[in-house]
Amino acid sequence: MEFIANTGKKVEIEVNGKIYLRHAIKTRFIKPRRELYRCF
């Protein structure tokens, strides 16, 4: 699987000596006070 970073972001990040791959996912914006059960 090929990982593609968003503009200005890195695919690989290092935390406490471990390397992780970030995978961007597209989600829709949920407004404050929106009833979450209606979003799914």
Side-chain angles (χ1 to χ4, degrees):
M1 176 182 281
E2 181 180 358
F3 289 93
I4 301 171
N6 292 340
T7 305
K9 300 287 184 176
K10 295 181 181 179
V11 173
E12 293 182 355
I13 59 171
E14 185 175 343
V15 179
N16 295 329
K18 293 184 178 181
I19 296 177
Y20 297 91
L21 297 178
R22 299 175 73 245
H23 185 66
I25 58 171
K26 186 175 183 176
T27 59
R28 62 181 171 202
F29 179 74
I30 300 173
K31 296 178 183 178
R33 299 184 182 175
R34 175 89 188 247
E35 295 174 353
L36 291 178
Y37 71 89
R38 293 182 185 216
C39 297
F40 299 103

